[in-house]
Amino acid sequence: MKAKIRKTAVFVEETHIEGGREISPATRKAVAAAVIENPYAGEYVEDLSLLMEVGEELGALLGEKCVKALGIRPEQAESYGKAAMVGENGELEHAAAILHPKMGAPLRKAVEKGAALVPSSKKRGGMGQDLDVSLGHKDAAYVRSHFDGIEIRISDAPRANEILVAIAVTDSGRPLPRVGGLTAGEAEGKDGLR
């Protein structure tokens, strides 16, 4: 493994009541995170291919952890998202190198298919800072009921020379969605949009 992982964390959120109404079955989101060493902290490096390869590894590892935490089969995943926060000695481009060129393919394999772009966010932060992971339907970006997010916070990460990387997967959309648009049941997932 190219990633030097200090720790991982997995969190599952289940919503049973929303707006005073029972949600049955509960909506569920899982987020899996890895705290890794940033090999380029504190220096400018033109070639970020090592971080791209780390992104590929983490796409598989964290995607599979989310699916396992939800106790679902890969094809039952409905939404996904990814995010990274670099410590103070890192660059936003380090987060981009992890998230964009190679992370998507192994994440899509972990959730079976994934025709839509994977929503993402990146930021610089310090230990204990919240990292928001945007979510969207994995096969059809226009499914509004799945525009959502989840946050994760690890009290001792990221340190100055680390990166906190997170992937989120859901088995449903928001509880009680009612803003219209394409529904998950109507989505075809052919072009990643509808």
Side-chain angles (χ1 to χ4, degrees):
M1 179 166 271
K2 291 186 169 64
K4 292 186 180 176
I5 299 174
R6 180 167 65 87
K7 65 169 54 179
T8 60
V10 179
F11 176 77
V12 176
E13 175 185 292
E14 294 185 355
T15 301
H16 296 275
I17 297 174
E18 179 78 14
R21 296 178 179 260
E22 183 177 341
I23 307 301
S24 182
T27 60
R28 299 182 315 142
K29 306 174 194 175
V31 59
V35 179
I36 65 166
E37 176 185 289
N38 182 349
Y40 305 130
E43 63 179 309
Y44 178 86
V45 176
E46 189 67 34
D47 181 1
L48 300 177
S49 57
L50 175 61
L51 287 177
M52 295 175 196
E53 292 174 24
V54 165
E56 186 173 28
E57 291 174 351
L58 294 179
L61 175 72
L62 300 177
E64 290 166 8
K65 281 183 178 289
C66 285
V67 170
K68 184 177 179 182
L70 291 171
I72 60 174
R73 294 184 315 276
E75 68 272 14
Q76 292 175 297
E78 291 193 14
S79 298
Y80 54 20
K82 58 189 178 179
M85 179 168 35
V86 295
E88 66 181 275
N89 292 334
E91 296 177 47
L92 287 179
E93 197 65 9
H94 298 161
I98 288 175
L99 295 178
H100 297 302
K102 295 187 175 185
M103 182 178 268
L107 172 55
R108 286 178 174 88
K109 184 176 179 183
V111 299
E112 193 172 292
K113 196 176 176 185
L117 289 174
V118 184
S120 67
S121 66
K122 60 195 76 55
K123 68 192 284 187
R124 179 178 292 108
M127 294 192 303
Q129 190 167 345
D130 294 337
L131 177 60
D132 291 317
V133 185
S134 298
L135 289 162
H137 193 280
K138 72 174 187 175
D139 293 318
Y142 288 173
V143 177
R144 289 185 201 148
S145 59
H146 289 56
F147 297 170
D148 203 354
I150 188 167
E151 67 180 24
I152 188 165
R153 183 180 69 82
I154 297 179
S155 62
D156 67 346
R159 295 175 180 166
N161 296 335
E162 291 181 332
I163 306 172
L164 172 60
V165 183
I167 285 180
V169 174
T170 77
D171 68 357
S172 51
R174 293 186 316 276
L176 308 175
R178 52 193 187 279
V179 295
L182 183 70
T183 68
E186 296 168 340
E188 295 179 13
K190 292 180 182 173
D191 62 1
L193 299 176
R194 293 183 167 77

